[in-house]
Amino acid sequence: VFHLGRCWSVDPLLSSSYLLQDSRGRPKEIPHNEKLLSLKYESLDYDNIENQLFLEEERRMSFGGFRCLEISRWVVCGLIGFLTGLVACCIDIVVEEMAGLKYKVIKENIVKSTEAGGLSISLILWAVLNCAFVMVGAIMVACFEPIAGGSGIPQIKCYLNGVKIPRVVRLKTLVVKVLGVMCSVVGGLAVGKEGPMIHSGAVIAAGVSQGRSTSLKRDFKMFEYFRRDTEKRDFVSAGAAAGVSAAFGAPVGGVLFSLEEGASFWNQMLTWRIFFASMISTFTLNFFLSIYHHKPGDLSNPGLINFGRFESEIMSYNLYEIPLFIAMGALGGFLGALFNVLNYWLTIFRIRYVHRPFLQVIEAMLVAAVTVAVSFTMIYFSTDCQPLGPEHSEEYPLQLFCADGEYNSMAKIFFNTPERSVRSLFHSQPGTYNPLTLGLFTLTYFLLACWTYGLSVSAGVFIPSLLIGAAWGRLCGIFSFSAAQLGGIVRMTLSLTVIMVEATGNVTYGLPIMLVLMTAKIVGDYFQEGLYDIHIKLQSVPFLHWEAPGTSHWLTAREVMSSPVTCLNRIEKVGTIVDILSDTSTNHNGFPVVVKVSHNNEPAKLCGLILRSQLIVLLKHKVFVELARSRLNQRKLQLKDFRDAYPRFPPIQSIHVSQDERECMMDLTEFMNPTPYTVPLDTSLPRVFKLFRALGLRHLVVADDENRVVGLVTRKDLARYHLGKHGLEELHLAQT
Amino acid sequence: VFHLGRCWSVDPLLSSSYLLQDSRGRPKEIPHNEKLLSLKYESLDYDNIENQLFLEEERRMSFGGFRCLEISRWVVCGLIGFLTGLVACCIDIVVEEMAGLKYKVIKENIVKSTEAGGLSISLILWAVLNCAFVMVGAIMVACFEPIAGGSGIPQIKCYLNGVKIPRVVRLKTLVVKVLGVMCSVVGGLAVGKEGPMIHSGAVIAAGVSQGRSTSLKRDFKMFEYFRRDTEKRDFVSAGAAAGVSAAFGAPVGGVLFSLEEGASFWNQMLTWRIFFASMISTFTLNFFLSIYHHKPGDLSNPGLINFGRFESEIMSYNLYEIPLFIAMGALGGFLGALFNVLNYWLTIFRIRYVHRPFLQVIEAMLVAAVTVAVSFTMIYFSTDCQPLGPEHSEEYPLQLFCADGEYNSMAKIFFNTPERSVRSLFHSQPGTYNPLTLGLFTLTYFLLACWTYGLSVSAGVFIPSLLIGAAWGRLCGIFSFSAAQLGGIVRMTLSLTVIMVEATGNVTYGLPIMLVLMTAKIVGDYFQEGLYDIHIKLQSVPFLHWEAPGTSHWLTAREVMSSPVTCLNRIEKVGTIVDILSDTSTNHNGFPVVVKVSHNNEPAKLCGLILRSQLIVLLKHKVFVELARSRLNQRKLQLKDFRDAYPRFPPIQSIHVSQDERECMMDLTEFMNPTPYTVPLDTSLPRVFKLFRALGLRHLVVADDENRVVGLVTRKDLARYHLGKHGLEELHLAQT
């Protein structure tokens, strides 16, 4: 999840006053009852920036040009799918090989020690190996790229929602993420490699669609048209979908995930492209894995996680089981909420005390060591021996103190990668595990998984949740409890149903899964939010939900907007612009352009809107109208200049403007958006909200009945209003 | 499909000039090269009508009130699901029983006649029975409710898109639809009962959510809050999803269908409610059918159509089969396009010559008779005898001239309901059908299905398409051809994939189905649009697609808008309002309210927007400010008065306003929307389009930089621009 040591966060539970941290990680107290919204996150602009340059380009483009653009969108989506599948395949093979090697070495040692005595050496060997892997993973995340920690799903949710999380779609993040997840899975933590695939897919999409890498300083001069927030967002949703698709072999589930989490405006063509990317991703992974498994061309087993085949006969169910499913869902929702509450407290503890990279690495290693110690103890004291069957060829059965031809049943779940444990729990013969084994396993794994999520390592929570649920379910003899536990923790209903159905490969259980997930969601929501939402909220991200809070009709744009607004004249003095941009106390990103600013704060007539990033490019290229000369002298700026600077526009401090230049003028007419959306002062908050959400806006100008600028509504103004336990609450803004 | 004899339509293929029909069905020629857009369709308003009354109600409503509203939304969705499932169950049982009876009677007659000679008597008996059923169905549709003809899917698409198709969600339509579909399926036409379920679900939703029936004059005083277009639309999408869900046992497919066809703005809560309705619908149907099939409580076989169980082992596939899938998809797309082109010509023929109810009934009976004759001939001359197995207990095997213990294989497909034929084609032992039988069947059924679609009977095209595809597929030994044929005809990719996967109950074939459907869509689109789109276009419906045409950036609101606009003053004379509303030549539905209308057509300042329907209610309740007296005399109108009149507002002609009253004034302040969305004159068409589509608008005011009304953009202004073969085309508007 988010790197929680680096920003402001809120703690309503652990102390009487809210706990905050400043940018250096020092704790800071603020008065009780104040909730915060961080101002450090910039917004993305998912509305097309339509200025004269853009419109001219669009008008020049022929019918064939548009068709060409459409085809290249499909090509990019195909590439995204292919690369995501390849990365998933790579992770899978490396994890399989390394984990296989590790378990083999330890097993040999254990076998030797069981006979000769001195099992503590094996324990130490196991612990050292795991800690080494986890240390590498944790150092990479904590020291090089904190944003690559966790599953990355909350970050992608925020990105698709329109919040710019710094460095979230960079190449470096991808590298750290991929290597990190390998380390943490091989390191034996209670984590999955599925969640991080979604983040990886998104980074791949953001990279491929831009046709260049800023980190590597390579520009392939391709796909330049796609260098803006709105196009990039579409590709990132395709990448996230491709990630889900590769992780679970669930292409339709991937599309639904992207839509459930991200898209605001549903567009049919876009959906099909996302679907295409998902399809290609599953195909690619499936194809390469089939070669790796020596069954080249056998495409029937897609996805990183594979639940194996469920026979329809076993899966049929009856009407009287429905109350059972509902009860299961309720229990799953309750346990999920418990997991989330524990993790919430833990996260706050981490924000408070574990914010230095050094401590984070130590904590990760501690968790790895404890995981090994607990596993070892459980295995050591377990007396559950089972006869060895032919189905164990791919696993690492430990005989330990069992009779010959038998193996330790506890070791079958603990001494294995989590994916294999899940499969084993689903498919092993009845009687493979005795209830005590399962009960102990469930309890310890629940606590371990809860402790693990939020560490500074790349890791997903899907597989651990499924594993806990599968163990519970096995205990009661019911398959679909795994879904209940997962649903109770992450709370995605529709997409999760489809993912589970696609992953099990059997539709028969679709209806019970739905029922279970829906109950789990309703029950879980009663106690606590979903895990991802908790982490988003702890970050004070200005996240916009689907609708305005129910009871907010009495609020109007007048109350919500920021006012007075810093406006610019259509032809403005360079010095004024530089001063406004350099003003760190306001740090505005969008400026209404007006006909004439009067000096007594009287509002002036709106004629456009210009963004900070555009002004920066103009200043950098010194597009000034010198006062003495005619306009002809002005350098003609192309749309390309803006696209080249996207998305890492230089800060204003890096641009040098001489004293002479400060006296020049800048003509903004060509570069501003001449038709920004406006609302009247009396527009109700739900109406403003709908406009914002449906169009993906970043700035909305509030105008009076003379079309004069009286205010500006931004994402943060809307995200401030929030439905609490007792009705509408207003969050305070915190500048960091 | 639409009742094509009642409106204007366009024929670019059959004649050198376009063919039109006026409202009485008389043909009328208009000049060549003019395409039309019908003005007879009103729009729906999917934006919330926010006036003072509404806002006051919202502000009065407590936090608990909103929760209560949310719960009642879930209750309504549950009810919709339950009733839809019940209706589907009812249709299924009636069709099963009646068809069983019919086939039994005919079989007995055939058996008797085969021995005694005189098979022509059997033919006549069969034909008469079928024609009788079809006649009843056709008379109901043609004479009582033409809108109930066809599958209803194009109409529901239009409704969700925001076009008001008259009478499409009325109780009478539902009754005719349900009885009609029973008649046409029992009547042996090449139709399915699945498509109409979508329409039925939508009607049920529209009825239940309003808490009253205008046709039955019963008002249950419930759900009054939902009596407006935007809430009703949400429920109708839930109903359509529940319909799909009941028809195919595909709840997720249902949700996706609703979203793919209808939703513009994706809202998570709404999606979950739709999903809930779908789930309940499948459950209900499944439960009642399980009782009917004497396996009470066995919920493993949802849906009206049931493809039976596919074993995973048979379904696995390999990499080298992928080109085969693509080829299959391409062929399916081509054949689908052929089907659509043939049906397109046929529809134009029907518009031209078969527009009287009498002729329509005759045509339907003719098709029924021809279907029987063709089937009989094929069976009679078939020499394909197969041994009788134990699996035929539920069918009606005909021995005819085969040896004892054998049956006629052609009769197995022709002498059966289409659903059973599909299942038999999927699951029968290899060798059940010889290639000649399959080839002949495919060809004849293709032509019969093509002729049947568009008749004045309630009927769906899903099952016939699947049956043709299944027969082709059986011929080549490939299952997924059935999907290719269906995809080639209807062209829904994502939802269709999920529907097919859910209906087969096996995810293994998910990837090939996707691949096949996508190829079928791409190939099919190259030749001709999807069947539903063709019928929507032939109706000249102002349908808005997902995005503005690609090459339309050079168009601005200035060119697109209607101007000058009929505006009203905030306090307006009753006589003026009555005159404006009575003006049939303009027939406007929304009026900007301005501060002061000047008489020399100078634009005035915008201060609100009021709808025709609101004015009608005001006039009906005589909410006048008498000039001499104070405002206190005005009757206080409640939001309830508007809701009671919704959606069948009386026409202006039915409201009597005396000469004295004409001199009174009306104060619109309280009733108008005080903050209508506006755009400047220079806003590009794609921007206007996006605003319209994302917010579900009906009217968009164009204002100049002084906020004065200079134009009004409506749905028809946008639907006029259309991407043709050679770039942007402009359709002409036709008043009917």
Side-chain angles (χ1 to χ4, degrees):
Chain A
V1 299
F2 290 156
H3 181 66
L4 283 155
R6 292 283 160 83
C7 70
W8 295 84
S9 269
V10 180
D11 166 14
L13 278 173
L14 285 194
S15 68
S16 63
S17 63
Y18 287 94
L19 170 78
L20 287 172
Q21 267 187 307
D22 65 13
S23 54
R24 294 194 190 162
R26 291 169 304 205
K28 181 187 165 184
E29 305 282 324
I30 62 154
H32 190 48
N33 271 341
E34 289 208 15
K35 293 197 174 179
L36 288 188
L37 196 69
S38 173
L39 279 179
K40 79 163 190 167
Y41 296 106
E42 278 186 40
S43 302
L44 292 161
D45 199 344
Y46 290 153
D47 183 35
N48 270 330
I49 302 155
E50 289 204 341
N51 54 22
Q52 276 188 31
L53 289 177
F54 177 78
L55 285 175
E56 268 165 34
E57 192 197 56
E58 294 279 312
R59 282 165 199 169
R60 266 201 311 273
M61 211 186 293
S62 65
F63 187 42
F66 278 102
R67 174 151 286 186
C68 203
L69 214 55
E70 190 59 27
I71 291 170
S72 60
R73 283 199 189 101
W74 282 88
V75 170
V76 170
C77 282
L79 265 175
I80 291 168
F82 179 74
L83 291 175
T84 307
L86 218 57
V87 167
C89 180
C90 189
I91 293 179
D92 195 52
I93 292 175
V94 170
V95 167
E96 281 284 302
E97 291 294 328
M98 305 261 282
L101 201 65
K102 189 191 82 175
Y103 285 118
K104 218 176 117 192
V105 167
I106 300 169
K107 192 187 160 182
E108 274 167 14
N109 189 287
I110 290 181
V111 170
K112 212 169 58 192
S113 313
T114 319
E115 291 159 12
L119 263 177
S120 51
I121 306 282
S122 305
L123 170 61
I124 292 170
L125 174 71
W126 190 2
V128 166
L129 277 177
N130 275 10
C131 285
F133 280 117
V134 170
M135 189 181 72
V136 174
I139 287 177
M140 275 194 302
V141 170
C143 306
F144 295 114
E145 197 51 278
I147 203 80
S151 71
I153 295 177
Q155 286 91 332
I156 299 303
K157 270 183 85 154
C158 291
Y159 182 91
L160 293 177
N161 191 265
V163 184
K164 189 171 183 173
I165 308 283
R167 302 186 311 283
V168 74
V169 290
R170 294 226 180 143
L171 186 61
K172 193 176 155 194
T173 310
L174 177 65
V175 173
V176 171
K177 189 117 219 164
V178 169
L179 296 177
V181 78
M182 288 171 183
C183 289
S184 41
V185 176
V186 176
L189 291 176
V191 298
K193 56 190 187 301
E194 280 69 18
M197 271 319 298
I198 297 165
H199 191 172
S200 305
V203 181
I204 291 169
V208 170
S209 65
Q210 304 298 296
R212 71 172 165 197
S213 163
T214 323
S215 311
L216 300 180
K217 297 197 173 45
R218 287 290 298 273
D219 190 336
F220 298 99
K221 308 274 176 204
M222 283 187 310
F223 310 136
E224 289 171 333
Y225 187 87
F226 302 145
R227 293 178 188 170
R228 49 195 164 121
D229 285 344
T230 158
E231 295 277 354
K232 197 171 168 183
R233 187 255 323 246
D234 290 352
F235 289 114
V236 168
S237 13
V244 176
S245 168
F248 303 96
V252 177
V255 175
L256 286 178
F257 174 84
S258 262
L259 290 168
E260 207 167 287
E261 297 305 343
S264 53
F265 181 68
W266 165 287
N267 177 319
Q268 211 171 25
M269 283 313 283
L270 170 64
T271 315
W272 287 339
R273 282 200 302 272
I274 296 180
F275 188 39
F276 180 66
S278 300
M279 223 167 79
I280 296 284
S281 157
T282 307
F283 259 111
T284 309
L285 173 68
N286 208 335
F287 176 66
F288 285 108
L289 280 188
S290 76
I291 294 176
Y292 174 67
H293 291 133
H294 306 298
K295 297 179 209 157
D298 175 20
L299 300 183
S300 323
N301 290 313
L304 286 184
I305 174 79
N306 182 346
F307 295 153
R309 283 237 171 93
F310 289 88
E311 286 313 315
S312 305
E313 282 66 38
I314 313 167
M315 307 280 288
S316 72
Y317 55 95
N318 211 303
L319 187 69
Y320 64 79
E321 295 180 47
I322 285 181
L324 196 68
F325 293 135
I326 292 177
M328 223 157 47
L331 186 58
F334 175 74
L335 287 176
L338 184 67
F339 186 100
N340 293 357
V341 168
L342 291 177
N343 191 269
Y344 177 66
W345 287 340
L346 190 67
T347 307
I348 287 166
F349 178 85
R350 283 193 180 125
I351 293 172
R352 189 180 278 216
Y353 301 110
V354 198
H355 42 77
R356 296 219 197 101
F358 172 69
L359 286 174
Q360 290 171 340
V361 173
I362 295 290
E363 196 203 359
M365 287 171 68
L366 181 67
V367 173
V370 169
T371 308
V372 170
V374 169
S375 310
F376 196 85
T377 318
M378 303 283 277
I379 295 172
Y380 190 82
F381 288 106
S382 164
T383 53
D384 183 10
C385 292
Q386 301 287 344
L388 202 58
E391 75 273 21
H392 299 105
S393 57
E394 273 196 28
E395 294 169 9
Y396 322 101
L398 285 183
Q399 188 183 342
L400 276 175
F401 308 118
C402 292
D404 280 351
E406 289 194 334
Y407 68 97
N408 183 310
S409 174
M410 188 67 98
K412 193 177 157 92
I413 356 183
F414 266 123
F415 197 66
N416 221 335
T417 54
E419 281 88 353
R420 291 199 171 177
S421 307
V422 171
R423 218 174 321 159
S424 151
L425 283 170
F426 282 161
H427 290 293
S428 297
Q429 299 294 319
T432 310
Y433 304 98
N434 78 33
L436 186 68
T437 309
L438 286 174
L440 279 172
F441 171 77
T442 311
L443 190 67
T444 46
Y445 209 81
F446 184 91
L447 296 172
L448 282 175
C450 191
W451 191 9
T452 309
Y453 190 79
L455 282 183
S456 283
V457 293
S458 295
V461 77
F462 270 80
I463 296 297
S465 314
L466 273 176
L467 188 50
I468 298 165
W472 269 116
R474 181 94 198 181
L475 205 56
C476 331
I478 308 155
F479 157 74
S480 52
F481 198 87
S482 54
Q485 182 65 56
L486 181 54
I489 293 173
V490 301
R491 315 272 165 81
M492 306 177 298
T493 325
L494 187 60
S495 58
L496 205 54
T497 308
V498 178
I499 289 173
M500 290 295 290
V501 167
E502 286 188 290
T504 52
N506 200 310
V507 181
T508 321
Y509 243 40
L511 283 176
I513 290 178
M514 279 174 223
L515 207 59
V516 159
L517 285 177
M518 212 158 233
T519 326
K521 182 177 165 59
I522 292 167
V523 172
D525 278 351
Y526 179 78
F527 294 106
Q528 176 70 294
E529 283 174 294
L531 190 59
Y532 300 140
D533 296 314
I534 290 177
H535 282 267
I536 287 173
K537 205 171 252 180
L538 279 173
Q539 283 297 100
S540 310
V541 174
F543 193 86
L544 290 189
H545 291 277
W546 295 95
E547 276 176 338
T551 51
S552 60
H553 272 94
W554 56 274
L555 279 169
T556 63
R558 195 191 301 273
E559 282 94 21
V560 170
M561 71 189 186
S562 316
S563 173
V565 192
T566 315
C567 292
L568 297 176
N569 284 314
R570 191 193 276 261
I571 296 178
E572 185 61 273
K573 228 178 97 185
V574 173
T576 317
I577 293 178
V578 172
D579 290 343
I580 288 175
L581 292 183
S582 311
D583 183 354
T584 48
S585 72
T586 55
N587 203 26
H588 290 315
N589 280 300
F591 304 91
V593 180
V594 293
V595 172
K596 183 95 187 94
V597 172
S598 61
H599 290 285
N600 47 359
N601 262 338
E602 275 253 316
K605 270 217 167 56
L606 178 73
C607 68
L609 184 83
I610 197 155
L611 300 178
R612 167 182 288 263
S613 58
Q614 293 171 319
L615 290 172
I616 296 254
V617 174
L618 294 180
L619 287 172
K620 199 175 139 208
H621 288 92
K622 309 218 178 288
V623 188
F624 307 146
V625 188
E626 281 178 56
L627 279 177
R629 301 207 199 159
S630 79
R631 277 202 197 177
L632 290 169
N633 202 25
Q634 191 174 332
R635 200 204 127 180
K636 185 72 185 165
L637 216 56
Q638 302 282 311
L639 207 50
K640 195 180 168 308
D641 297 305
F642 291 93
R643 285 178 181 162
D644 284 345
Y646 177 84
R648 306 195 199 171
F649 298 102
I652 181 72
Q653 290 77 16
S654 73
I655 290 166
H656 181 73
V657 177
S658 70
Q659 206 55 43
D660 282 357
E661 284 169 341
R662 284 182 66 90
E663 296 303 315
C664 293
M665 301 299 277
M666 261 165 78
D667 184 353
L668 306 178
T669 315
E670 232 180 320
F671 310 107
M672 70 189 188
N673 174 359
T675 55
Y677 296 112
T678 59
V679 288
L681 269 167
D682 294 320
T683 317
S684 69
L685 179 62
R687 215 171 158 78
V688 172
F689 199 98
K690 196 181 165 195
L691 198 63
F692 236 82
R693 202 68 177 80
L695 302 174
L697 297 185
R698 185 173 179 180
H699 301 98
L700 181 62
V701 180
V702 182
D704 65 6
D705 57 3
E706 301 271 337
N707 202 30
R708 292 177 309 187
V709 181
V710 287
L712 194 69
V713 179
T714 63
R715 163 178 288 268
K716 276 140 201 162
D717 298 323
L718 295 181
R720 254 161 60 206
Y721 296 94
H722 166 90
L723 207 56
K725 293 254 172 205
H726 310 289
L728 207 64
E729 289 173 356
E730 193 177 336
L731 303 178
H732 285 253
L733 299 176
Q735 188 92 44
T736 328
Chain B
V1 298
F2 291 157
H3 180 65
L4 283 154
R6 292 284 158 85
C7 70
W8 296 82
S9 268
V10 180
D11 166 15
L13 277 174
L14 284 194
S15 69
S16 63
S17 64
Y18 287 95
L19 170 78
L20 288 172
Q21 266 187 306
D22 65 13
S23 53
R24 294 197 189 160
R26 291 170 302 204
K28 180 187 165 183
E29 306 283 324
I30 63 153
H32 189 47
N33 271 341
E34 288 207 16
K35 294 196 174 180
L36 288 188
L37 197 67
S38 172
L39 280 180
K40 78 162 191 169
Y41 295 107
E42 277 187 42
S43 303
L44 292 160
D45 200 344
Y46 291 154
D47 184 35
N48 270 330
I49 301 155
E50 290 203 342
N51 54 22
Q52 275 188 32
L53 289 177
F54 176 78
L55 285 174
E56 268 165 34
E57 192 197 54
E58 294 280 311
R59 280 163 200 169
R60 266 200 312 272
M61 212 185 293
S62 67
F63 188 41
F66 277 102
R67 174 152 287 185
C68 202
L69 212 55
E70 189 61 26
I71 290 171
S72 60
R73 283 199 188 100
W74 282 88
V75 170
V76 170
C77 281
L79 265 176
I80 291 168
F82 178 74
L83 291 176
T84 307
L86 217 57
V87 166
C89 181
C90 189
I91 292 178
D92 195 53
I93 291 175
V94 170
V95 167
E96 281 284 302
E97 291 295 327
M98 304 261 283
L101 202 66
K102 188 190 82 173
Y103 284 120
K104 218 175 118 193
V105 167
I106 299 170
K107 194 187 157 181
E108 274 167 13
N109 190 286
I110 290 181
V111 170
K112 210 170 60 191
S113 312
T114 317
E115 290 159 12
L119 263 177
S120 50
I121 304 282
S122 307
L123 170 61
I124 291 169
L125 175 70
W126 190 2
V128 165
L129 278 176
N130 275 10
C131 285
F133 281 117
V134 170
M135 189 181 73
V136 174
I139 285 176
M140 276 195 299
V141 170
C143 306
F144 296 113
E145 197 51 279
I147 204 78
S151 71
I153 295 178
Q155 286 90 331
I156 297 303
K157 272 183 83 154
C158 290
Y159 182 90
L160 294 176
N161 191 266
V163 184
K164 189 170 182 174
I165 309 283
R167 301 187 312 283
V168 74
V169 289
R170 295 223 179 145
L171 185 63
K172 193 176 156 196
T173 310
L174 177 65
V175 173
V176 171
K177 189 116 219 166
V178 169
L179 297 178
V181 78
M182 288 170 184
C183 289
S184 39
V185 176
V186 176
L189 291 177
V191 299
K193 57 190 185 301
E194 280 69 18
M197 271 319 298
I198 298 165
H199 192 172
S200 304
V203 181
I204 291 169
V208 170
S209 65
Q210 304 299 295
R212 69 169 166 199
S213 164
T214 322
S215 312
L216 300 182
K217 299 200 171 41
R218 287 291 298 273
D219 190 336
F220 299 99
K221 309 272 175 205
M222 282 189 311
F223 310 136
E224 288 172 335
Y225 187 87
F226 302 144
R227 294 181 188 169
R228 49 196 164 120
D229 286 343
T230 159
E231 294 278 353
K232 197 169 167 185
R233 188 259 319 251
D234 290 353
F235 289 115
V236 168
S237 12
V244 175
S245 170
F248 302 97
V252 177
V255 176
L256 285 177
F257 173 84
S258 263
L259 289 167
E260 209 167 283
E261 297 306 342
S264 55
F265 181 68
W266 164 288
N267 178 320
Q268 212 171 23
M269 283 314 285
L270 170 65
T271 315
W272 286 337
R273 282 200 302 272
I274 295 180
F275 188 38
F276 180 65
S278 299
M279 223 168 80
I280 297 285
S281 154
T282 306
F283 260 111
T284 310
L285 173 67
N286 208 336
F287 176 65
F288 285 107
L289 280 188
S290 77
I291 293 175
Y292 174 67
H293 290 133
H294 305 298
K295 298 179 210 159
D298 175 19
L299 300 184
S300 323
N301 289 313
L304 285 185
I305 173 78
N306 182 348
F307 294 155
R309 282 235 172 96
F310 289 89
E311 287 311 316
S312 306
E313 283 65 37
I314 314 168
M315 307 280 290
S316 73
Y317 55 95
N318 212 301
L319 188 69
Y320 63 78
E321 294 180 45
I322 285 181
L324 196 67
F325 293 135
I326 292 178
M328 224 155 45
L331 186 58
F334 175 74
L335 288 176
L338 184 67
F339 186 99
N340 293 358
V341 168
L342 290 177
N343 191 268
Y344 176 64
W345 287 341
L346 190 66
T347 308
I348 287 167
F349 177 85
R350 283 192 179 126
I351 294 173
R352 190 181 279 217
Y353 300 111
V354 197
H355 41 78
R356 296 218 197 103
F358 173 68
L359 286 174
Q360 290 170 340
V361 173
I362 294 291
E363 197 201 358
M365 287 172 68
L366 180 68
V367 174
V370 169
T371 308
V372 170
V374 168
S375 310
F376 196 86
T377 317
M378 303 282 278
I379 296 172
Y380 190 82
F381 289 107
S382 165
T383 53
D384 183 10
C385 292
Q386 301 286 344
L388 202 59
E391 76 270 21
H392 298 104
S393 56
E394 274 196 29
E395 293 169 10
Y396 323 102
L398 284 184
Q399 187 181 343
L400 275 176
F401 308 118
C402 293
D404 280 352
E406 288 193 334
Y407 69 97
N408 184 310
S409 174
M410 188 67 99
K412 193 178 159 93
I413 358 183
F414 266 121
F415 197 67
N416 219 336
T417 55
E419 280 88 354
R420 292 198 168 176
S421 306
V422 171
R423 219 176 319 160
S424 151
L425 283 170
F426 282 161
H427 291 293
S428 296
Q429 299 295 318
T432 310
Y433 303 98
N434 79 31
L436 185 68
T437 309
L438 287 174
L440 278 173
F441 172 76
T442 311
L443 190 68
T444 45
Y445 208 79
F446 185 91
L447 296 173
L448 282 175
C450 191
W451 191 9
T452 309
Y453 190 77
L455 281 183
S456 282
V457 293
S458 295
V461 76
F462 271 80
I463 296 297
S465 313
L466 273 175
L467 189 50
I468 299 165
W472 268 116
R474 181 94 199 182
L475 204 57
C476 331
I478 308 155
F479 157 73
S480 52
F481 199 86
S482 53
Q485 182 66 55
L486 181 54
I489 292 173
V490 301
R491 315 274 165 80
M492 306 177 300
T493 323
L494 188 60
S495 57
L496 205 54
T497 307
V498 178
I499 289 173
M500 289 297 289
V501 167
E502 287 187 290
T504 53
N506 199 309
V507 181
T508 321
Y509 243 40
L511 284 176
I513 289 178
M514 281 173 221
L515 207 59
V516 158
L517 285 177
M518 211 160 236
T519 326
K521 182 178 163 58
I522 292 167
V523 173
D525 278 351
Y526 179 79
F527 293 107
Q528 175 70 295
E529 285 173 293
L531 190 59
Y532 301 140
D533 297 311
I534 291 177
H535 282 267
I536 288 173
K537 205 171 252 179
L538 279 173
Q539 283 297 98
S540 309
V541 174
F543 193 87
L544 289 188
H545 290 277
W546 295 94
E547 278 176 337
T551 51
S552 60
H553 273 93
W554 56 273
L555 278 170
T556 64
R558 196 190 301 274
E559 283 93 22
V560 170
M561 71 191 188
S562 316
S563 174
V565 193
T566 314
C567 293
L568 299 175
N569 284 314
R570 191 193 274 264
I571 295 178
E572 184 63 271
K573 226 178 98 188
V574 172
T576 317
I577 293 178
V578 171
D579 290 343
I580 288 175
L581 291 184
S582 311
D583 183 354
T584 49
S585 73
T586 57
N587 203 25
H588 291 315
N589 280 299
F591 304 92
V593 180
V594 293
V595 172
K596 183 95 185 91
V597 172
S598 62
H599 289 286
N600 47 359
N601 261 338
E602 274 252 316
K605 270 215 167 56
L606 178 72
C607 67
L609 184 82
I610 196 154
L611 300 178
R612 166 184 289 263
S613 57
Q614 293 171 320
L615 291 173
I616 296 253
V617 175
L618 294 181
L619 287 174
K620 199 176 139 207
H621 288 89
K622 311 222 178 283
V623 188
F624 308 145
V625 189
E626 278 177 59
L627 279 177
R629 302 208 198 159
S630 78
R631 277 204 199 175
L632 291 170
N633 201 28
Q634 189 172 333
R635 200 204 127 181
K636 186 73 183 163
L637 216 57
Q638 302 283 312
L639 208 50
K640 195 180 168 306
D641 298 305
F642 290 93
R643 286 180 181 158
D644 283 345
Y646 176 84
R648 306 196 197 169
F649 298 101
I652 180 71
Q653 291 77 15
S654 73
I655 290 165
H656 181 72
V657 178
S658 70
Q659 205 57 42
D660 281 357
E661 285 169 342
R662 284 181 66 90
E663 295 303 314
C664 292
M665 302 299 276
M666 261 165 80
D667 185 353
L668 306 179
T669 316
E670 230 180 321
F671 310 106
M672 70 186 187
N673 174 359
T675 55
Y677 296 112
T678 59
V679 287
L681 269 168
D682 293 321
T683 316
S684 67
L685 178 62
R687 217 171 158 78
V688 172
F689 198 97
K690 196 180 165 194
L691 198 63
F692 234 82
R693 202 69 176 80
L695 303 173
L697 298 184
R698 185 172 179 182
H699 300 99
L700 181 63
V701 180
V702 182
D704 64 7
D705 56 3
E706 301 270 339
N707 203 28
R708 293 177 307 189
V709 181
V710 288
L712 194 69
V713 179
T714 64
R715 163 178 286 267
K716 277 141 200 164
D717 298 322
L718 295 180
R720 254 161 60 205
Y721 297 94
H722 165 92
L723 207 56
K725 293 255 172 202
H726 310 290
L728 207 64
E729 288 172 358
E730 195 177 336
L731 303 178
H732 286 252
L733 299 176
Q735 189 93 45
T736 327

